Amino acid sequence: MEKIIETRSPEETFRLGEQFGKAASPGMVVTLCGDLGAGKTVFTQGVASGLGITGPVTSPTFTILQIYEEGRMPFYHFDVYRIGDPEEMEEIGYEDCFFGQGISLVEWADLIPELIPEEAVRILIRRDPEKGFDYRKITITAP
Ligand code: ADP
Ligand code: MG
């Protein structure tokens, strides 16, 4: 299944993430790819809101993993932008997240392709300079 959604503001991308979070089921792994500033974290903040998480959600760039427990299910937010070696994922116990009862969301997942399960839902966010500064084309692919 492939779905393409166009957004024209951060709020729209947030709301898309929120719908996604509301529909999410335990055990899901979601990958988010796209350039720096594409809107991966904005989408992620929407997902968190859709799960019922009310606190602030920021990119865990320096910790790789941030865990939120106050929502409908555990939310594991990875940002692997600064990962040096996939072994770091083992060290933080990613398997307990990916194969547990929460939802895992991975920003910059293309840096660790070998660790992403085949059943993952893949989300790609792209800009198009011809369509304006706030335009984003969001492609969601589920196996
Ligand atoms: P990433 O996590 O992909 O590096 P962020 O989500 O942190 O990117 O930042 C996206 C930036 O782009 C924010 O400053 C946001 O306000 C801006 N922006 C503009 N238009 C959009 C849009 N349609 N969707 C998401 N973000 C947008
Ligand atoms: Mg980010």
Side-chain angles (χ1 to χ4, degrees):
M1 188 277 294
E2 185 179 274
K3 211 163 124 185
I4 296 175
I5 302 106
E6 299 175 295
T7 69
R8 287 179 172 79
S9 68
E11 293 74 25
E12 257 187 81
T13 299
F14 181 94
R15 279 199 299 275
L16 183 67
E18 201 167 42
Q19 288 169 10
F20 194 91
K22 282 184 181 157
S25 45
M28 259 179 118
V29 177
V30 182
T31 67
L32 271 174
C33 295
D35 296 339
L36 203 63
K40 301 182 291 300
T41 298
V42 170
F43 183 89
T44 301
Q45 288 163 338
V47 173
S49 169
L51 290 168
I53 295 160
T54 51
V57 173
T58 54
S59 246
T61 298
F62 295 98
T63 53
I64 301 181
L65 171 63
Q66 198 76 53
I67 302 177
Y68 302 87
E69 306 258 14
E70 70 263 38
R72 185 160 69 75
M73 65 180 95
F75 181 42
Y76 306 114
H77 180 200
F78 296 80
D79 185 326
V80 301
Y81 185 58
R82 286 174 197 280
I83 205 160
D85 189 307
E87 287 233 337
E88 285 175 52
M89 287 291 282
E90 317 254 340
E91 283 158 25
I92 59 173
Y94 83 97
E95 283 163 301
D96 292 339
C97 304
F98 281 17
F99 306 108
Q101 289 304 300
I103 169 169
S104 298
L105 199 148
V106 189
E107 294 192 44
W108 295 102
D110 35 356
L111 295 176
I112 50 160
E114 64 273 49
L115 300 185
I116 303 301
E118 251 175 65
E119 322 80 67
V121 175
R122 290 159 204 271
I123 302 180
L124 176 63
I125 310 182
R126 266 178 299 201
R127 292 191 184 88
D128 183 343
E130 285 177 13
K131 296 196 172 166
F133 194 67
D134 290 347
Y135 172 89
R136 301 290 189 274
K137 183 178 178 182
I138 302 173
T139 308
I140 304 180
T141 312

